[in-house]
Amino acid sequence: MHFAPFVCIGILLLPWFPCTWEKCIFDQVQRSIKVVSPPSGQYASAHWPLPRQRPKRAEKNAESMAVPQPIRIKVWIPSESPALSDWERERLMTAVDEAVSEVSSLLSVRRVPDSLLLNRDINKYCKFIWRNSSTVNNMKCGRAKENYRFESCFGVNIPDEHLNGCAVYPHPEHPVPTVLRPEGTGVPDTDFLLYVFTHSTDKCKAESSILAYAAHCQADSEGRPLAGTMVICREPLRMERYTHERYVQTVIHELFHVLGFSKELFSRWKDCSLSSQAVVDCWPYGQVISTDEMGQFRLYSPTVIRAMQKHLNSTHDDLGAPLENKDVGSDGLSSHWEARVLQGSIMAALLVEPSLIRIDPITLAALQDTGWYSVNFSRAQSLVWGEGEGSQFGSLSTCHNSSTFFCTDSALGCHYLHFHKGECLTDPYLDGCHVFKPLANTSECWIKENERSGMNEESGEIYGSDSRCFISNLTRPNHSPSSHVSAAGHCYRHRCTGRNKYQIQVKDSDWLDCPAGKSVEVSGYQGFIFCPDNRLCKYSDLAPPTSRQKADNLLNISISIKSDHDVKEKDASPHHNLVPLSSVTVSKPEIIVAAVLSIMGAFSLLSAAALIYRKCSSARVRVHAANEPPYRSQFQGTDGKTKHGQ
Ligand SMILES: *[C@@H]1O[C@H](CO)[C@@H](O)[C@H](O)[C@H]1NC(C)=O
Ligand SMILES: *[C@@H]1O[C@H](CO)[C@@H](O)[C@H](O)[C@H]1NC(C)=O
Ligand SMILES: *[C@@H]1O[C@H](CO)[C@@H](O)[C@H](O)[C@H]1NC(C)=O
Ligand SMILES: *[C@@H]1O[C@H](CO)[C@@H](O)[C@H](O)[C@H]1NC(C)=O
Ligand SMILES: *[C@@H]1O[C@H](CO)[C@@H](O)[C@H](O)[C@H]1NC(C)=O
Ligand SMILES: *[C@@H]1O[C@H](CO)[C@@H](O)[C@H](O)[C@H]1NC(C)=O
Ligand SMILES: [Zn+2]
């Protein structure tokens, strides 16, 4: 609620000003849901053996023991959904489809055999249950509730064909039931059923920065979520400024929640040896949530701890992943990562500009540790934030020291991914720590059009798809020679010459080596350029949005980049103003208008332009890109998902 003043000011000044962040209300909604499980014995966890004993469970179902395969998430639009325009439906479904296929490329499950059938809540249809162990119908329903109509999932009526049947046993000893509802046919080839409901709900109206929210409502006997509802807020769906990429990210984020990344489910996570696929043994971790010495809740599950150790380059053997301490319920828990430590993760509480969000290894480790999924870690995206910084990274005691990730008040610099010029700011989730956030307008070094906004002539800036942000105080000597120029973020071209090795080019200069972690002078200029260490030419899966579109296409022609350690050292020739710029030019007037409106509006237009561009010219991209090894060496992504309908 510290946010209220910001929001109000924003609304007062610019009623149409879109939030540049998006809040997630998952915890709020999931808490209100009663999750329905199979009638026999609620959650199986109640019957689990003690940890580490690992007795073999009876072979009950050969198929459930099978090798995990990509999760099949079926999307179902409830009949009560309002009519959408073709355009709205198209954008909704393409985003949901893309998110679903991304998630199923990441997560595998032991598939549901045949058809998925959801359960009815016995407390809903049954007035009383026979309870006499010496009678035939012990624990069966004796009488139906007269007003029983349907099952629902977070407000959506579940069709009868998705549900198990139900029956009542009017006499305690008479085994023949009266069928109340026949058995449904189920949903074939489905491991998770997602009801997608578009509506302008009160929650949507209350918080304009919400695009969607979700909750799960059904689980199997192991506790794995089987079905959930995602509410897509109606109003934002009409607005072009919310980009396709933003919707995809939002849907993935909410899907991760409903599939298991939920504080309501942490206690049900269990250790399953999915690797030995012949027999599946699971045993509960016991407590995976605990506080650290600073009183912050952390998630301590084995894969998460290993992922944190690897990420922070720490051997600290008790390094859990910290949970957000803002917007928490009375239990103090959140289903999001702490923003100071895992900034930029898809599971951080604020969803920011999509190109800056990463599906990171720690989030995937958490999904692995649910015990329900087998995760394809080769598809993880490098988080970058905090990498190799040690176990104290992001703590309140160290974040106020200026570092390459944190900054101190009111400085100008670069966003840590170096695509954007940045301003040192905080937000409610950062607990007073400051980071460089993209400037409100024209902050993207990779957008050629930003060059014309002036103010960059004397510092020799060059914008374009291969430009990145560098902190510098470079000036032309003839420009106010006496005054001291303070350092700020500036855009210069770069090209990779190796891993963490690159050259830069300033206006009217040659290509110069820019040794990572050092500063360089440029002839014809006064001042220095600081060359960032471990940011540029290190991660093959980092690219500005326009380039990423190309990277996607590159994937289709099968290139063998497997990890972010695979930077090609050769052929580091510069790539001149890349083709996406032509599409930007087409919508230039709109972009300038959008830049005035907001950074997000600008992003939406650019992404739209990029999408149109991609749709129209993938062949050209391929030819162009195929001739440019350095391009793929830096920009080739693991996020090269295949797109539907292309
Ligand atoms: C349970 O059922 C048996 C057999 O019908 C009956 O004799 C007994 O009284 C019942 N017990 C209770 C507590 O109702
Ligand atoms: C994991 O993802 C990679 C890259 O998409 C793919 O090549 C590989 O086959 C996947 N592995 C499994 C086990 O699905
Ligand atoms: C990790 O830390 C060790 C020692 O603290 C250091 O020698 C090593 O270079 C670091 N590795 C990375 C990848 O930063
Ligand atoms: C960070 O700042 C604190 C004081 O504000 C100081 O004690 C500590 O040594 C600093 N840490 C580093 C790594 O510079
Ligand atoms: C640039 O910054 C350096 C280091 O802070 C300083 O020594 C130098 O005078 C500055 N140059 C200009 C032109 O302001
Ligand atoms: C960008 O924002 C600054 C103030 O933050 C403003 O002066 C400038 O006119 C804006 N530029 C554009 C192109 O909107
Ligand atoms: Zn969330």
Side-chain angles (χ1 to χ4, degrees), residues 42 63 131 162 171 296-297 321 337 426 465 483 498 521 598:
Q42 299 300 328
E63 259 152 312
R131 290 185 196 277
H162 296 177
H171 192 275
Q296 181 145 19
F297 284 104
W337 297 131
T426 187
S465 58
S483 67
E521 290 180 281
S598 78

Side-chain angles (χ1 to χ4, degrees), residues 6-17:
F6 289 83
V7 173
C8 295
I9 290 165
I11 289 169
L12 283 176
L13 293 178
L14 311 161
W16 34 259
F17 189 89

Side-chain angles (χ1 to χ4, degrees), residues 466 493-495 511 571-576 628 630:
D466 57 357
R493 295 181 71 194
H494 88 302
R495 64 181 186 188
W511 286 96
D571 292 326
S573 64
H575 33 93
H576 302 282
E628 284 193 331

Side-chain angles (χ1 to χ4, degrees), residues 554-572:
L554 272 168
L555 263 195
N556 298 341
I557 52 172
S558 75
I559 299 159
S560 62
I561 299 277
K562 294 209 173 58
S563 76
D564 50 336
H565 304 294
D566 213 17
V567 174
K568 299 282 183 295
E569 306 255 328
K570 298 197 308 164
D571 292 326

Side-chain angles (χ1 to χ4, degrees), residues 620-640:
R620 189 172 154 210
V621 171
R622 288 178 198 191
V623 169
H624 186 84
N627 292 333
E628 284 193 331
Y631 176 81
R632 73 180 182 232
S633 71
Q634 192 179 2
F635 300 136
Q636 177 62 52
T638 53
D639 52 351

Side-chain angles (χ1 to χ4, degrees), residues 382-398:
S382 359
L383 182 57
V384 183
W385 179 262
E387 197 169 303
E389 294 283 301
S391 63
Q392 292 305 304
F393 177 75
S395 68
L396 287 171
S397 56
T398 60

